[in-house]
Amino acid sequence: MDEHTNPQQYPAPPANPPYAGFDPAYQSHRRPKGRRPGALLAACALVAAVVGGGSAALVGELTGGAAGSTAHSTPVQNASLKGSGVSAVASAVSPSIVEIKASTGAGQSTGSGVIITGDGEVVTNNHVVAGADTVQVSLKDGSTRTGTVVGTDPGKDLALVKLQDAKGLKAATLGDSSRLVVGDQVVAIGSPEGLTGTVTSGIVSALNRDVTVSKEQGRGQRQQQRGLPQWPFEFGGNQYNGDTGSDKTTYKAIQTDAALNPGNSGGALINMNGEIIGINSAMYAPGGQGGGSGESAGSVGLGFAIPVNTLKADLAKLRAGGTNA
């Protein structure tokens, strides 16, 4: 065994060894005396001054800070829950998201909706159920219920559907869209192209985007019958995904890069606390001059949602059954 592995073979440390403050052998046998702690702190302070104030605070904490302090550094927690955040949100909220099929004489519109009460109130977009003769709603467990359109607000592209004989459903929690900031992580859940319970994620890309959509009854169904996506809308002076027609409305929307496709309309945009912060309502699909077609590519990361605070302010009118222009 060599002298570095047998403490008995260490020579007695000199009375005043050079660099004793930095030699692990000496530090393990004796506490620095005299002014050595001050020299150590001075050296650390010099390093901290080079690498910045944040490191200076950390060095101060690790070395005890002020004289007599016993503080220790506290690890920073990962608030984003990487690797589990999206799956946790999806697991918690998916039971509150439904698929909606609304039929008229002109065709069938497929979209999504959000359960907001245990007895079967479902929020969706007006353009999903506009002019519908019948509404069929598929739940997370695979069961299907008949729905009745209680009230619509074409001016805000919102509608309220009531499920027949419903009780004990899992209602979503409505959040506060005024607290959103650009860069917040979000999750979208809906039924794009009839693929129920599809989950995508992204961030809030922008706030208060002016989005213009059609208010005309049945336009969503006619668009689908011609093989075009639903959600004809305007943004920045251009029309996308078909003709919006002459009867239209403009609202302030949340922009997100979470993938949205036809069928996500009326579904949920959710924050990482599992709260609904928007109702997905429009998407940009490239293809052709200023508009998209059913044969164009899918989501390119430009989607829009109606802020949930707009919905909350409108709920009383929707429940009263009034159709607002």
Side-chain angles (χ1 to χ4, degrees):
M1 186 178 296
D2 61 33
E3 63 179 1
H4 295 290
T5 60
N6 187 351
Q8 300 299 324
Q9 297 182 17
Y10 269 115
N16 192 18
Y19 308 108
F22 298 109
D23 189 330
Y26 290 124
Q27 287 185 0
S28 65
H29 287 286
R30 56 182 281 178
R31 294 173 57 88
K33 295 181 179 180
R35 301 178 61 184
R36 289 302 174 188
L40 174 59
L41 290 175
C44 290
L46 178 60
V47 174
V50 174
V51 299
S55 294
L58 179 60
V59 169
E61 193 168 314
L62 291 175
T63 56
S69 172
T70 60
H72 296 284
S73 61
T74 302
V76 177
Q77 300 299 315
N78 184 357
S80 66
L81 299 176
K82 290 182 179 179
S84 63
V86 173
S87 61
V89 170
S91 177
V93 184
S94 286
S96 302
I97 310 303
V98 301
E99 180 185 53
I100 296 176
K101 293 183 178 180
S103 299
T104 71
Q108 180 174 278
S109 172
T110 300
S112 304
V114 182
I115 299 172
I116 60 170
T117 64
D119 63 352
E121 284 188 335
V122 175
V123 172
T124 186
N125 287 139
N126 173 70
H127 73 254
V128 171
V129 297
D133 299 319
T134 62
V135 176
Q136 294 295 315
V137 178
S138 299
L139 305 181
K140 171 71 173 178
D141 62 8
S143 64
T144 301
R145 305 288 180 90
T146 298
T148 301
V149 178
V150 174
T152 63
D153 188 345
K156 296 175 182 173
D157 197 19
L158 291 170
L160 184 66
V161 174
K162 182 69 166 61
L163 305 187
Q164 296 180 9
D165 302 321
K167 61 181 180 180
L169 301 181
K170 183 172 182 179
T173 300
L174 303 183
D176 183 357
S177 52
S178 70
R179 299 171 64 94
L180 288 174
V181 297
V182 174
D184 279 352
Q185 189 175 2
V186 290
V187 175
I189 306 179
S191 300
E193 307 293 354
L195 301 173
T196 59
T198 295
V199 177
T200 58
S201 66
I203 62 168
V204 173
S205 303
L207 298 168
N208 299 315
R209 293 295 201 198
D210 286 329
V211 171
T212 301
V213 298
S214 171
K215 293 197 298 183
E216 295 182 22
Q217 296 256 327
R219 176 166 291 273
Q221 286 82 5
R222 290 199 299 273
Q223 293 290 341
Q224 188 183 58
Q225 190 179 51
R226 294 203 304 266
L228 298 175
Q230 301 171 39
W231 312 352
F233 78 102
E234 294 180 9
F235 176 72
N238 296 317
Q239 292 185 349
Y240 301 99
N241 307 345
D243 179 16
T244 57
S246 59
D247 190 10
K248 49 196 176 186
T249 185
T250 300
Y251 56 82
K252 300 289 186 181
I254 302 164
Q255 182 181 329
T256 179
D257 69 349
L260 302 179
N261 288 285
N264 273 115
S265 187
L269 192 67
I270 311 155
N271 65 18
M272 300 311 291
N273 292 325
E275 300 167 331
I276 310 299
I277 47 85
I279 303 298
N280 298 321
S281 60
M283 57 162 280
Y284 167 70
Q289 294 293 323
S293 73
E295 299 175 354
S296 64
S299 172
V300 293
L302 291 174
F304 302 92
I306 301 165
V308 75
N309 286 8
T310 300
L311 166 63
K312 291 194 291 186
D314 208 31
L315 267 179
K317 292 181 180 179
L318 293 173
R319 285 169 171 157
T323 299
N324 302 316

